[in-house]
Amino acid sequence: MKKDMNTMDFCKKAVLAVLFAVVLGGVAWSQGVYWVAFRDKAECGFDPYGYFDAKAIDRYKACGADLWDSSNWPLTAGYVEAVADVAEEVIGESRWLNAVGVAASEAAIEEIRALPFVKEVRKIGGDMETASRKTEETEVASGQNSVVSNQLLRMKGDLFSENGIDGSGVRIAVLDGGFPKVDRHPAFYHLHRNKRIVETYNFCNKKTNVYGWNSHGTMTLSCITGIYEGQQLGLATGAEFLLYRTEVESEPFKEEIWWAQAMERADKMGADIISSSLGYGKERYYPTQMDGTSYVAKAATMAARKGILVCNSAGNEADDRRWKTIITPADADSVLCVAGIEPSLTNYAHVDFSSYGPTADGRRKPNVCAFGYADVANPSGGLTNVAGTSFSCPLVAGFAACVLQLSRGIGMELSAMDLFQVIEESGDLYPYYDYAFGYGVPQASYFIGGSDTVEPPYGLYEVDTLMLIIAKRHIDKGTLFYKIHNLANGTIEEYSTVALKDVDSSDIILYFDKRTLVGRAVCASLFGYYRDYTLTDEEFENYARHAYISDKAEYATALGDGQHKVTLHNDASTLKTRQWGTNSKNQGDIYFLLGDAIHTRSDELGLLAWSPALRGGARLVHSFGKTYSLGIGIELGGTFFNFHTYEPNPYDPKDESSNTAKPFATSTLDKKCLRLGEFSMEFFQRVRLLPGGLVGKGLHWDLSIYGSVTFANYRQYWSDGDGKNAITAIYRHGFQIPNGCWNWGLQTRLTYDFIGVYARYCMTGVLSKEAAPALPYKTTLPRLEVGIQLLF
């Protein structure tokens, strides 16, 4: 028996050690990561010709940027040293932002915030997301050319290839989570053969090796420059590359710092274009914050000022009704935001996951679009088909490199914003624009050979109070784009597509009630043919005077069995931070706990190996950002403290502590149990360590202080000698606290999504002399309880 008890004690101590290791790990994780911005920079003898690569100097001069601008100066060393003396870790510095990224406790941050040269402290609360869609990868058979060709043919990229335009002379930086097998995969042989990988750097571990880790980077790089078995995966096969690793799953809060540092290094090393299929979205921000003011958006904007075109994925949040907008840094006005469409040459359709615009402050995003599905290099070998705006972005980045090469070939050096603008103008919908497709898919024919003359496929006609869109020729198949544009504030109130099939000349495609168009314009595009319609001044005055407008007016109606209206509506006014629910400002938790009392001190009574605790409760949580929350909760529960039957304890009836008294002559004592009931209230803080999970709660750590009213009742369980006719005897002299006593303690929980572990420690001592003065015994029950939690 003693050996079994020692084994059980050892197991409990092992469990306890593991639990406290987990809790301490949670404490370490709870240390925050921050940007600390400084007010100024000290004068220094900055030499741009000693700092920048020759290509960077050429780019600065070509776009008129200032090589000696203070944003290029190093940070003031004394400022950095003062912050480093207080912070736990200095993660990295940003010259552009005049800021240093640090890991520090709340107390240390308050001390840093008080330094006279500190302008701002901003917490980094989430992880960088790859903008790839989590779908099953599909292997692409060797020699299968159609999809590989289509992702470039959709941009008429064959015109670039046929004219020897391959991005030569252009330097592209790719920021991602790793580039496994890029040094060995056949799709990149041409880069190594021609020494076109100029530099690699791993910001996550401060080394040059990037050829490992997340396969996402290998895939996105192949969309810019890959060639596999003679087939082009990307258009910029002649460009030079800078490969930077900025993302690592185990250090999510530091990635924003590494991303900004990579932008600066790309500038220093002469990048003309940056392709980033990374971004921050719902796991880091609220929709109302997608307004171009994040630190990564500021860094991207700075890159554009210095002549670098930044291409970024729009994000894959469209199928999340709680989000409704793009991700940052794609929300910066100087970043070319790229959305995704279905991979078809004939069906022009928004892919269901590609994020919609506008930005939170109503600016136009996305800018252009490309295939949201692509064939890419698979680090395991061959090709694979993947989904996400992660891949539409590098397709456009490769396209931009070809445009830049072409412009330089005719003696025209485009600035970053000039390049940005001509890519928008090359979109096959331009000048039509909406929040799903932007200006459409960029077309190489805009730059080579000129655009084809489009025979008007439709016309706009008026009949009484109706405005009609009527086909002017037979249309076998096509997609009509239309939108309702608010003339007062410039926003799009509604935008839709109508899939056309076998439409005859003179067929009505759409009609509008003109009385609903006061202060609005109808804009339409079909096969690149664009028209818009507004009321005449006379009609405007007439309809406005008679107030025919309804806020719920049906602007357009599609006619005929062959037409289908698909509403892709996203109104900037709906971008409100949700007040309740997962990932919102407020949320409610319901939970259940199952635990066991653990003996940790010499003055605690010994128990059987299993003394279960069952609890349930509800909590209200208020978030102060995406990673830190405070909350309150109530709980009902109880613990069954099971004692050894062969040992007396202070709770036995005074006259029967020897266990000799029996209800019947044949009775045996089977069990001794002190039943403890508690009603608790708690106040707690929550730190989210990682996002994700089936219900979106992610990995989070709670630390709370609780107070409880405790009730107790001690029982002995007897049975007769032959094991039959079990009897429960509750002795009137047994220990009881019918009116309750007060306890308080600390509790910690570490939970992933809906399941976790917890530890609870009673500071007053459960039923100790201090907690229950009526207790005649100076002793206490085990204070520690550990177990598992289910959270809903």
Side-chain angles (χ1 to χ4, degrees), residues 181-451:
K181 303 296 178 66
V182 165
D183 53 341
R184 285 176 279 174
H185 197 288
F188 307 106
Y189 281 168
H190 61 292
L191 297 184
H192 299 288
R193 184 171 58 249
N194 298 296
K195 294 182 171 47
R196 292 200 178 117
I197 297 180
V198 176
E199 183 187 54
T200 61
Y201 194 76
N202 190 329
F203 288 87
C204 307
N205 58 19
K206 296 179 172 57
K207 296 180 180 179
T208 58
N209 179 28
V210 298
Y211 299 125
W213 300 279
N214 196 322
S215 63
H216 188 262
T218 302
M219 297 175 178
T220 60
L221 179 63
S222 67
C223 287
I224 304 175
T225 189
I227 304 174
Y228 186 75
E229 296 186 351
Q231 293 296 316
Q232 281 187 251
L233 306 178
L235 290 170
T237 55
E240 296 178 328
F241 289 90
L242 310 169
L243 305 182
Y244 296 143
R245 179 177 180 241
T246 64
E247 181 195 14
V248 55
E249 292 182 3
S250 62
E251 296 284 0
F253 306 120
K254 300 179 180 180
E255 291 171 340
E256 181 176 343
I257 299 167
W258 294 328
W259 194 90
Q261 287 186 297
M263 297 287 284
E264 294 182 28
R265 190 164 185 129
D267 171 51
K268 176 183 177 181
M269 293 303 299
D272 299 298
I273 296 169
I274 293 175
S275 178
S276 169
S277 293
L278 307 170
Y280 290 95
K282 60 189 177 184
E283 304 298 351
R284 166 64 177 90
Y285 291 101
Y286 296 107
T288 50
Q289 295 174 295
M290 297 295 96
D291 57 0
T293 60
S294 71
Y295 267 43
V296 287
K298 291 178 180 180
T301 300
M302 183 71 76
R305 281 177 46 192
K306 297 174 184 294
I308 304 173
L309 177 69
V310 181
C311 301
N312 208 95
S313 303
N316 304 322
E317 323 301 324
D319 50 5
D320 186 343
R321 296 180 180 178
R322 299 169 297 183
W323 186 248
K324 297 184 179 180
T325 189
I326 57 172
I327 59 178
T328 192
D331 60 335
D333 59 2
S334 301
V335 171
L336 192 70
C337 174
V338 186
I341 61 169
E342 291 288 349
S344 171
L345 296 179
T346 57
N347 180 30
Y348 205 153
H350 175 267
V351 70
D352 59 359
F353 51 78
S354 180
S355 293
Y356 296 109
T359 61
D361 54 343
R363 287 175 292 109
R364 291 186 171 187
K365 292 288 175 177
N367 302 101
V368 293
C369 58
F371 275 10
Y373 291 82
D375 285 348
V376 300
N378 188 342
S380 301
L383 303 180
T384 187
N385 187 260
V386 291
T389 57
S390 276
F391 311 107
S392 56
C393 170
L395 287 171
V396 171
F399 181 95
C402 293
V403 175
L404 193 55
Q405 178 197 355
L406 187 63
S407 67
R408 290 172 176 174
I410 59 175
M412 181 186 298
E413 186 67 40
L414 296 176
S415 70
M417 296 315 295
D418 290 337
L419 182 57
F420 184 109
Q421 182 177 341
V422 297
I423 290 174
E424 284 188 328
E425 291 173 355
S426 73
D428 57 4
L429 296 178
Y430 189 88
Y432 177 88
Y433 173 90
D434 68 31
Y435 298 141
F437 301 92
Y439 289 107
V441 181
Q443 299 294 293
S445 59
Y446 180 82
F447 305 98
I448 297 178
S451 301

Side-chain angles (χ1 to χ4, degrees), residues 135-140 147 151 343 373-376 383-387:
T135 56
E136 184 177 351
E137 297 178 6
T138 305
E139 184 178 353
V140 178
V147 178
Q151 62 196 40
Y373 291 82
D375 285 348
V376 300
L383 303 180
T384 187
N385 187 260
V386 291

Side-chain angles (χ1 to χ4, degrees), residues 160-173:
F160 284 146
S161 300
E162 291 168 2
N163 286 274
I165 306 300
D166 60 3
S168 293
V170 178
R171 187 168 289 181
I172 304 173

Side-chain angles (χ1 to χ4, degrees), residues 23 82 102 201 203 212 251 265 267 290 346 477 479 598 680 699 791:
V23 171
V102 301
Y201 194 76
F203 288 87
E251 296 284 0
R265 190 164 185 129
D267 171 51
M290 297 295 96
T346 57
K477 188 175 183 180
T479 302
I598 304 292
S680 305
L699 178 67
L791 181 66

